[in-house]
């Protein structure tokens, strides 16, 4: 009973080094999807394992066993009840962190949307009069590129077009969904927190390459991102967490990648295979634990186990 449920709780600890290798080996788009999907699976399996342990611990208590129409409480190994207690506390902390993060993300998005709605929009471009240089892709229907007048003054016309191409790539690639999902998943297990930086880097690198393709000039794109990042260092404004921006992430690393010829990266690598294996192990462990609990409950209810 206990051993399978420990797998989804231990596997996420292997994610940080695998995430770094995936971003280095895979194409940016492939790394973005691989990291996001794996992290979400690991997060869900981790919560499922905590929930199964919590439920087992509760049904081992006579009061809760009676509520579940059990003939007798579930028999528990000596180590299971302390684990169930710890799992209950961890699940409560995760639920609170998830709720707080979701409320914060929604609040930030609506505040930014209200600010953008109050400004005139030309096509997909919304210009805000502000002394703080900033630019980001604001998702919505339709999505918009929000840029301040200070940022426009910091770049020449060609660099502005490269910056806009970068932000349009974020909107067309729907990168805000990846950032929102990873922001929530990171609260489900401490081992998943480093994935936020890896996913944001993959999203920015995907937009960098798309902008370089759109402009046909990798050096121009690198220069625009570098100058925008330098100008935006002193910005006091707060953009939404789910709004990707060219000035976020490790800008020197991104600029260096753009100044090199495009590297031949692959869609599948050893790191991606290992990430898929981690996801499968977590799914198997969470599923096996839940199935064992289900059969144990059937026995405690006096029923014949199904299957």
């Amino acid at each position: 009973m206990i051993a399978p449920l420990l797998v989804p709780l231990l596997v996420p600890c292997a994610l940080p080094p695998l995430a770094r290798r995936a971003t280095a080996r895979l194409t940016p788009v492939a790394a973005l999807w691989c990291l996001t999907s794996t992290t979400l699976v690991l997060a869900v399996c981790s919560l499922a394992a905590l929930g199964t342990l919590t439920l087992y611990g509760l049904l081992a208590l006579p009061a809760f066993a009676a509520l579940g129409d059990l003939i007798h409480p579930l028999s528990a190994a000596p180590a299971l009840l302390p684990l169930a207690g710890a799992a209950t506390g961890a699940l409560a902390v995760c639920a609170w962190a998830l709720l707080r993060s979701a409320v914060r993300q929604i609040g930030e998005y609506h505040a930014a949307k209200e600010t953008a709605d109050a400004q005139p929009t030309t096509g997909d471009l919304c210009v805000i009069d502000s002394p703080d240089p900033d630019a980001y892709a604001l998702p919505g229907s339709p999505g918009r590129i929000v840029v301040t007048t200070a940022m426009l003054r910091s770049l020449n016309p060609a660099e502005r077009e490269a910056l806009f191409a970068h932000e349009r790539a974020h909107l067309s690639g729907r990168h805000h969904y990846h950032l929102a999902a990873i922001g929530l998943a990171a609260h489900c297990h401490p081992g998943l927190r480093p994935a936020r930086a890896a996913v944001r880097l993959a999203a920015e690198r995907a937009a960098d390459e798309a902008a370089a393709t759109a402009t046909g000039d990798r050096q121009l794109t690198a220069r625009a991102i570098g100058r925008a990042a330098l100008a935006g260092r002193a910005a006091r404004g707060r953009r939404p967490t789910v709004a990707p921006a060219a000035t976020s992430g490790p800008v020197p690393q991104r600029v260096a990648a753009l100044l090199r010829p495009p590297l031949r990266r692959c869609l599948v690598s050893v790191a991606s295979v290992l990430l898929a294996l981690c996801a499968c192990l977590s799914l198997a462990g969470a599923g096996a634990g839940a199935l064992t609990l289900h059969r144990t409950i059937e026995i405690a209810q006096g029923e014949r186990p199904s299957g």
Side-chain angles (χ1 to χ4, degrees):
M1 173 65 193
I2 298 178
L5 292 175
L6 294 180
V7 175
L9 300 178
L10 295 176
V11 166
C13 298
L15 183 63
L18 293 177
R20 289 192 295 269
R21 290 187 63 85
T23 54
R25 300 289 184 180
L26 297 173
T27 64
V29 174
L32 179 62
W33 280 98
C34 178
L35 290 173
T36 302
S37 57
T38 301
T39 303
L40 287 178
V41 170
L42 295 182
V44 170
C45 291
S46 175
L47 292 179
L50 291 175
T52 302
L53 283 170
T54 297
L55 183 58
Y56 199 106
L58 290 175
L59 293 179
L61 302 176
F64 287 95
L67 291 176
D69 294 328
L70 304 187
I71 297 175
H72 55 79
L74 299 185
S75 58
L80 186 57
L81 289 180
L83 278 175
T88 303
L91 199 59
V93 171
C94 289
W96 170 249
L98 282 169
L99 177 62
R100 186 176 60 178
S101 178
V103 170
R104 185 181 69 251
Q105 287 188 18
I106 294 172
E108 291 174 351
Y109 171 74
H110 283 295
K113 188 175 183 298
E114 289 178 2
T115 301
D117 289 342
Q119 305 298 324
T121 302
T122 303
D124 62 352
L125 188 64
C126 175
V127 180
I128 296 178
D129 187 12
S130 171
D132 298 321
D134 200 7
Y136 55 87
L138 182 66
S141 298
R144 284 168 290 182
I145 301 170
V146 178
V147 60
T148 63
T149 52
M151 179 61 80
L152 292 177
R153 289 192 296 266
S154 301
L155 307 176
N156 62 39
E159 291 166 347
R160 293 175 198 163
E161 289 304 317
L163 179 66
F164 297 158
H166 176 101
E167 304 302 351
R168 288 190 182 102
H170 280 312
L171 292 174
S172 62
R174 301 184 181 275
H175 295 163
H176 53 281
Y177 287 125
H178 295 270
L179 298 182
I182 209 71
L184 294 175
H187 294 290
C188 298
H189 193 286
L192 302 180
R193 292 172 187 168
R196 286 181 293 191
V199 167
R200 184 168 290 276
L201 173 59
E204 294 304 329
R205 284 286 299 119
D208 290 344
E209 294 297 330
T213 301
T215 61
D217 191 336
R218 297 180 68 82
Q219 291 189 351
L220 169 64
T221 305
R223 188 168 66 250
I225 291 170
R227 292 189 63 180
L230 287 174
R233 284 189 305 176
R236 294 187 298 272
R238 285 178 57 86
R239 72 175 68 95
T241 307
V242 299
T247 57
S248 61
V251 175
Q253 181 180 345
R254 292 166 48 207
V255 169
L258 283 169
L259 292 178
R260 295 191 301 263
L263 298 178
R264 294 187 61 183
R265 296 173 186 260
C266 50
L267 295 175
V268 179
S269 70
V270 174
S272 64
V273 172
L274 291 176
L275 286 171
L277 179 60
C278 288
C280 291
L281 286 174
S282 290
L283 284 169
L291 183 59
T292 302
L293 176 61
H294 174 69
R295 290 177 174 173
T296 305
I297 291 175
E298 285 185 333
I299 294 173
Q301 287 176 330
E303 300 177 4
R304 186 175 181 178
S306 58

